[in-house]
Amino acid sequence: MAVSADLAKLLDKEWEDKSLEEVLKAPVSALAGVSDGDADALKQAFNVKTVGDLGKNKYFRAAQAMSLLGDAAK
């Protein structure tokens, strides 16, 4: 099943028209609001280099899961 999504609001302008595959390989700074300095800090702290790395990072996934559980418990 093909899935499509408008990711433009989540990305810097230069990445808005890229495919999902390209975005996942993009540097974290391709995300809207993430600076080069932020991306460097993520690399230093968690070895996160790409958008895909960020999405797969066990610490970020754990924090998101706990946040969603907290929201569901309200």
Side-chain angles (χ1 to χ4, degrees):
M1 171 194 304
V3 176
S4 66
D6 182 8
L7 304 176
K9 293 181 181 179
L10 302 174
L11 301 169
D12 282 347
K13 187 131 183 96
E14 69 182 276
W15 292 96
E16 289 178 356
D17 295 324
K18 306 289 185 187
S19 69
L20 180 58
E21 183 179 354
E22 290 172 301
V23 170
L24 291 173
K25 293 177 183 177
V28 181
S29 59
L31 295 169
V34 178
S35 70
D36 289 336
D38 296 334
D40 188 51
L42 287 167
K43 182 179 177 186
Q44 294 299 318
F46 301 106
N47 198 33
V48 169
K49 300 173 190 165
T50 67
V51 172
D53 291 342
L54 184 63
K56 293 176 191 171
N57 182 278
K58 67 181 180 180
Y59 302 109
F60 292 98
R61 283 185 171 190
Q64 181 184 36
M66 287 183 271
S67 179
L68 291 170
L69 288 170
D71 289 346
K74 291 181 182 178

